[in-house]
Amino acid sequence: MAAIDLATVRAVVFDTDGVVTDTARVHAAAWKHVFDHFLRGRATPFDVREDYLRHVDGRSRLDGVRAFLASRGITLPEGGPRDEPGAPTVHGLGLAKDALFRRQIREHGVAAFPSTVALLHELRQRGCRTAVVSASTHCRDVIASAGLIHLFDVLVDGDEAARLGLPGKPDPALFLEAARRLDSPPEETAVIEDALPGVEAGRRGGFALVVGVDRSRSQAAAMRHAGADAVLTDLAELAVTGRVPVSRT
């Protein structure tokens, strides 16, 4: 059984969508709506599984637009943040997806994975510090909606990445910034990810342990190739050892 050994790991950094919260499918559905509307009569529709995992998952919103359109041989003007949502620009499509995602979260709320919540409680009860990261600018709203803010010492999201000029995954900058704020060097920090760019970022960042979460049961080999030390279908499969329990919520 895969395990986090707190004798050598001081902190754990969690990705958000698909690891902590069940929002990856909301992102995928929003992308499909936006891309299919744009692609009508131009190219094959967006596949919520293959295209999402290959081109969008784990990337910033704008990088996701660029990567997916490139897969269809389409190049659009960049545009800017004041574009009309849905305009035929990189920013326009990104803004349309953003508006749809926000509406879905506002209307339906956010669910957390019970096994992840249980793992967070155990880590913190054993004295391990925790961080949550996301390329999304809505990370704080998502984590707050799920009622989990109190389980993280640090949160680094897309807004922070933009403010600091951090490159997106597979560059490890987002994870490294979270580790820095946790005062935990990468070689004493674990990363838990469900996207291939994030797994690669963990490997490139020199983290002590990179855990891939393959809920789709389709990416295990690719995650191992990208650098995952362990690949699980659910975090209930991940044990925690070490560290004397302390009183902490």
Side-chain angles (χ1 to χ4, degrees):
M1 187 177 192
I4 295 176
D5 182 1
L6 298 184
T8 56
V9 171
R10 294 174 52 189
V12 180
V13 180
F14 291 75
D15 180 54
T16 304
D17 301 304
V19 173
V20 178
T21 58
D22 191 12
T23 39
R25 58 180 178 153
V26 184
H27 282 290
W31 280 121
K32 180 169 179 60
H33 179 87
V34 171
F35 282 137
D36 284 1
H37 180 77
F38 170 76
L39 291 172
R40 195 170 298 143
R42 302 184 191 212
T44 55
F46 180 86
D47 187 286
V48 293
R49 181 168 177 171
E50 294 299 323
D51 285 320
Y52 180 75
L53 293 175
R54 185 173 300 172
H55 305 299
V56 176
D57 193 21
R59 303 181 190 274
S60 71
R61 187 167 64 244
L62 298 182
D63 283 346
V65 173
R66 296 182 190 106
F68 172 70
L69 292 180
S71 76
R72 297 299 193 268
I74 298 172
T75 302
L76 288 181
E78 283 292 303
R82 294 187 179 181
D83 287 359
E84 184 73 19
T89 64
V90 170
H91 276 82
L93 296 185
L95 288 166
K97 182 268 175 179
D98 184 57
L100 184 56
F101 177 78
R102 284 188 287 110
R103 185 166 74 243
Q104 290 296 312
I105 294 301
R106 186 171 60 250
E107 293 177 357
H108 303 293
V110 175
F113 291 105
S115 58
T116 303
V117 177
L119 175 62
L120 282 162
H121 280 290
E122 182 169 8
L123 287 170
R124 295 178 66 80
Q125 286 166 1
R126 288 173 178 264
C128 181
R129 303 196 79 205
T130 55
V132 62
V133 303
S134 177
S136 169
T137 60
H138 304 300
C139 178
R140 185 171 297 278
D141 290 341
V142 165
I143 294 299
S145 180
L148 302 178
I149 282 287
H150 66 292
L151 294 179
F152 295 103
D153 300 292
V154 165
L155 183 152
V156 185
D157 62 6
D159 284 331
E160 283 290 278
R163 183 180 67 81
L164 296 171
L166 303 180
K169 303 170 189 174
D171 191 285
L174 198 66
F175 290 143
L176 292 172
E177 177 63 18
R180 185 190 69 77
R181 295 185 186 192
L182 289 167
D183 194 27
S184 179
E187 59 270 20
E188 296 179 6
T189 305
V191 165
I192 303 180
E193 252 287 357
D194 75 316
L196 291 176
V199 170
E200 183 180 345
R203 177 187 60 79
R204 289 173 58 181
F207 286 87
L209 179 69
V210 180
V211 177
V213 182
D214 180 25
R215 299 191 190 277
S216 69
R217 300 176 185 267
S218 65
Q219 297 196 100
M223 282 184 169
R224 291 190 182 96
H225 181 74
D229 299 296
V231 179
L232 316 172
T233 58
D234 188 87
L235 289 180
E237 303 166 27
L238 184 64
V240 181
T241 63
R243 209 81 71 83
V244 176
V246 297
S247 176
R248 187 177 185 181
T249 57

